[in-house]
């Protein structure tokens, strides 16, 4: 590189940093985590903002810090409470990692978020971007914080055609971003970079005219701003058709529906859901198509029986979809009616790992100890709310043992990870954390029931 070219590059970099900061101080949004330099709050906001829009995050952030105002409060809270507070944000491993890291901070640093680079990097769930954001925004350390917004801005301004999906490109971007940080302005500069990407240098339709650095933007000058950054497409998530059971209670469970808890590790760990299983192939194999009704109900009936849930499918209710990074569930939801069953004690867990011993053991336990346990140690009211319906005939248990049906969507269930079953009303939903799709399904169902009740009353 010639000396003249080096001087030109440095001038372009200084122009970028100066005008970006000037624009930010005049145009920045008033966001709740920008009203202070509390590293704990900044940390929470950065975790929440991963894969999530600012407008969505704001109410969650406010509720979260109201409930867990300090690192110690988060570290000491029951995980179920943390997940419930996170409910609706998705990517629930973020919440678990955040609480795990809060425990690290409490135990190792007395509840104070460390300002040492290695210490921050060692926290659970904290990667290069989050570490850079915490160190720069909270402590004004000259650390780069390079996320998708920042890589898009730098790719366009400096006409960088490297694939941003590659780790080597991120490292290159981090080095460039570090050079651009003006002395003593790390906190404001990194936020300005993020702000420019969020408000002006947007993915599909960049707003070049109001951009404070458009004069030297190399991509704009070359007329290729909309084709940058270069990013190889990730493998699309594979579709998976599933049958879900909305089991409506009868007798002592009237007005309630059945939910189950997922295993203690793996996909959506320890969250609550409607029971669901893989669907039989649809006619023609078209993605998202409903399987044949008779085949679907037969598969669902066998799956419920094998899982120890005594219920009968009564018809298709509605369809729903849930998208993960690697998989898309299309859920065909069937209304099912509870059949007669003997309850176990309130704290018993469902025998999801079916087999001759497992299913028969569940049935035996139900007959020998279930009723007494529910009425005794748990109390009648608790038993009615939390009791698990099981197959109550040995013949049915043996039959179920021959029908190998997947217990959980990701196949992670083991005998040690069998999920609990609960009968709930709408009011009970406040005590359980659900993935978004099941939260919406349950609310929709209870809305329907309330509307039916109102219609019934008004027609009398």
């Amino acid at each position: 590189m010639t000396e003249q070219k080096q001087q030109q590059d440095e001038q372009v970099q200084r122009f970028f940093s100066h005008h970006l900061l000037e624009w930010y101080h005049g145009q920045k949004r008033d966001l709740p985590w920008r009203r202070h330099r509390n590293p704990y709050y900044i940390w929470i906001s950065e975790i929440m903002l991963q894969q999530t829009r600012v407008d969505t995050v704001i109410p969650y952030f406010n509720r979260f810090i109201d409930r867990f105002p300090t690192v110690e409060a988060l570290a000491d809270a029951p995980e179920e409470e943390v997940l419930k507070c996170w409910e609706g944000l998705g990517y629930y491993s973020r919440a678990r990692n955040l609480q795990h890291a809060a425990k690290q901070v409490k135990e190792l640093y007395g509840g104070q978020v460390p300002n040492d680079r290695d210490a921050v990097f060692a926290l659970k769930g904290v990667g290069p971007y989050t570490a850079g954001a915490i160190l720069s925004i909270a402590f004004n350390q000259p650390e780069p914080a390079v996320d998708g917004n920042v890589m898009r801005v730098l790719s366009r301004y400096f006409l960088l055609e490297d694939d941003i999906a590659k780790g080597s490109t991120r490292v290159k971007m981090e080095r460039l971003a570090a050079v651009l940080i003006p002395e003593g302005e790390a906190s404001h500069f990194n936020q300005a970079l993020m702000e420019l990407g969020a408000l002006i240098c947007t993915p599909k339709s960049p707003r070049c005219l109001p951009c404070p650095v458009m004069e030297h933007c190399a991509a704009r000058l070359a007329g290729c701003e909309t084709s940058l950054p270069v990013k190889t497409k990730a493998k699309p998530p594979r579709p998976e058709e599933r049958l879900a059971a909305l089991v409506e209670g009868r007798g002592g469970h009237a007005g309630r529906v059945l939910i189950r808890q997922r295993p203690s590790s793996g996909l959506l760990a320890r969250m609550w859901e409607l029971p669901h299983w893989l669907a039989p192939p649809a006619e023609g194999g078209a993605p998202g198509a409903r399987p044949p009704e008779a085949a679907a109900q037969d598969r669902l009936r066998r799956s419920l029986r094998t899982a120890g849930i005594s219920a009968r499918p009564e018809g298709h209710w509605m369809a729903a979809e849930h998208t993960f990074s690697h998989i898309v569930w299309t859920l065909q939801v069937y209304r099912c009616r509870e059949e007669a069953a003997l309850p176990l004690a309130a704290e018993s867990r469902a025998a999801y790992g079916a087999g001759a011993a497992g299913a028969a053991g569940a049935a035996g336990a139900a007959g020998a100890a279930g009723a007494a346990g529910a009425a005794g140690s748990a109390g009648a009211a608790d038993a009615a709310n939390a009791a698990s319906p099981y197959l109550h005939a040995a013949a049915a248990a043996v039959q179920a043992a021959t029908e190998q049906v997947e217990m959980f969507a990701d196949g992670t269930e083991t005998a040690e990870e069998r999920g609990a079953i609960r009968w709930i009303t709408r009011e009970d939903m406040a005590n359980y954390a659900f993935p978004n799709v099941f939260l919406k399904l349950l609310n929709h169902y209870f809305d329907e029931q309330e509307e039916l009740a109102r219609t019934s009353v008004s027609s009398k």
Side-chain angles (χ1 to χ4, degrees):
M1 180 185 296
T2 65
E3 183 177 347
Q4 182 179 5
K5 179 65 166 62
Q6 183 176 351
Q7 290 176 348
Q8 289 175 343
D9 289 347
E10 290 175 353
Q11 180 181 357
V12 168
Q13 291 174 3
R14 286 194 298 272
F15 175 91
F16 179 86
S17 300
H18 172 77
H19 286 274
L20 180 61
L21 272 174
E22 187 177 61
W23 169 81
Y24 175 72
H25 288 308
Q27 301 295 327
K28 65 180 178 181
R29 290 171 290 180
D30 179 22
L31 302 176
W33 46 89
R34 286 181 177 164
R35 297 169 189 167
H36 41 68
R37 296 283 281 273
N38 185 324
Y40 170 62
Y41 291 176
I42 291 168
W43 176 20
I44 291 172
S45 71
E46 291 299 336
I47 297 297
M48 286 186 170
L49 287 165
Q50 295 171 10
Q51 315 258 0
T52 312
R53 295 174 59 86
V54 167
D55 291 346
T56 301
V57 165
I58 289 174
Y60 279 94
F61 173 82
N62 289 331
R63 286 195 297 269
F64 201 88
I65 63 172
D66 283 345
R67 175 59 191 86
F68 313 112
T70 64
V71 169
E72 291 90 343
L74 177 58
D76 295 340
E79 183 186 87
E80 292 76 11
E81 200 169 328
V82 176
L83 290 174
K84 187 64 182 178
C85 206
W86 201 273
E87 185 181 68
L89 269 181
Y91 301 96
Y92 293 94
S93 61
R94 294 182 297 173
R96 294 189 183 90
N97 289 341
L98 183 60
Q99 185 177 35
H100 186 282
K103 293 177 180 179
Q104 290 178 274
V105 172
K106 177 186 174 183
E107 294 169 6
L108 299 176
Y109 309 107
Q112 299 299 311
V113 178
N115 61 3
D116 175 75
R117 189 175 188 274
D118 291 340
V120 173
F121 264 97
L123 298 176
K124 181 80 169 178
V126 173
Y129 166 74
T130 305
I134 294 170
L135 292 168
S136 63
I137 298 173
F139 300 109
N140 203 30
Q141 295 184 17
E143 291 283 344
V146 175
D147 66 354
N149 280 336
V150 171
M151 286 196 284
R152 184 169 60 253
V153 170
L154 297 182
S155 293
R156 288 172 176 170
Y157 186 81
F158 293 99
L159 193 55
L160 304 176
E161 298 179 300
D162 304 275
D163 183 357
I164 65 171
K166 295 182 178 179
S168 58
T169 302
R170 174 178 288 277
V171 172
K172 181 178 178 180
M173 296 275 191
E174 288 172 346
R175 290 173 182 163
L176 175 58
V179 170
L180 294 171
I181 298 173
E183 186 175 354
E185 291 283 5
S187 180
H188 291 146
F189 179 78
N190 279 350
Q191 291 182 84
L193 258 179
M194 300 171 198
E195 196 82 333
L196 188 71
L199 301 182
I200 302 294
C201 199
T202 52
K204 295 183 179 179
S205 302
R207 300 169 55 217
C208 293
L209 288 178
C211 178
V213 295
M214 66 170 288
E215 184 178 337
H216 290 291
C217 177
R220 185 191 68 82
L221 293 172
C224 61
E225 66 275 11
T226 57
S227 63
L228 290 175
V230 173
K231 183 178 182 180
T232 53
K233 291 186 178 180
K235 183 180 179 180
R238 63 180 174 85
E240 194 170 272
E241 312 301 320
R242 308 199 67 79
L243 304 176
L246 181 78
V247 182
E248 299 174 291
R250 55 183 290 189
H253 298 147
R256 300 174 183 268
V257 296
L258 186 77
I259 60 172
R260 73 174 180 185
Q261 188 177 33
R262 293 190 58 79
S264 58
S265 62
L267 189 69
L268 302 173
R270 289 185 292 279
M271 299 194 76
W272 294 81
E273 64 182 4
L274 298 178
H276 58 100
W277 297 271
L278 279 171
E283 293 178 353
R290 280 177 56 188
E293 187 71 11
Q297 291 210 35
D298 180 64
R299 172 68 64 84
L300 191 56
R301 186 180 298 109
R302 290 187 295 111
S303 300
L304 288 162
R305 184 188 306 126
T306 305
I309 300 172
S310 184
R312 180 182 68 254
E314 294 194 332
H316 185 267
W317 178 48
M318 65 181 298
E321 192 173 275
H322 192 65
T323 302
F324 303 93
S325 59
H326 65 297
I327 192 171
V328 177
W329 287 347
T330 298
L331 298 164
Q332 302 296 342
V333 187
Y334 287 76
R335 293 178 76 156
C336 304
R337 177 67 61 180
E338 179 191 11
E339 294 181 318
L342 297 176
L344 289 185
E347 299 304 320
S348 294
R349 303 178 76 78
Y352 285 153
S377 61
D382 288 341
N385 178 57
S388 304
Y390 283 87
L391 295 172
H392 54 280
V398 173
Q399 179 184 358
T402 68
E403 300 173 340
Q404 297 302 313
V405 179
E406 172 213 23
M407 295 302 104
F408 280 98
D410 54 0
T412 58
E413 196 272 339
T414 68
E416 291 74 29
E417 295 175 327
R418 291 168 184 166
I421 280 179
R422 296 289 185 269
W423 289 99
I424 64 164
T425 63
R426 165 166 266 171
E427 289 70 27
D428 296 323
M429 288 175 64
N431 300 319
Y432 303 93
F434 299 91
N436 296 4
V437 64
F438 297 108
L439 184 68
K440 292 176 182 177
L441 285 168
L442 286 165
N443 277 323
H444 186 75
Y445 169 77
F446 285 121
D447 284 344
E448 278 190 355
Q449 297 305 107
E450 290 171 6
E451 180 60 29
L452 285 172
R454 284 193 294 268
T455 303
S456 176
V457 169
S458 62
S459 63
K460 291 181 180 179

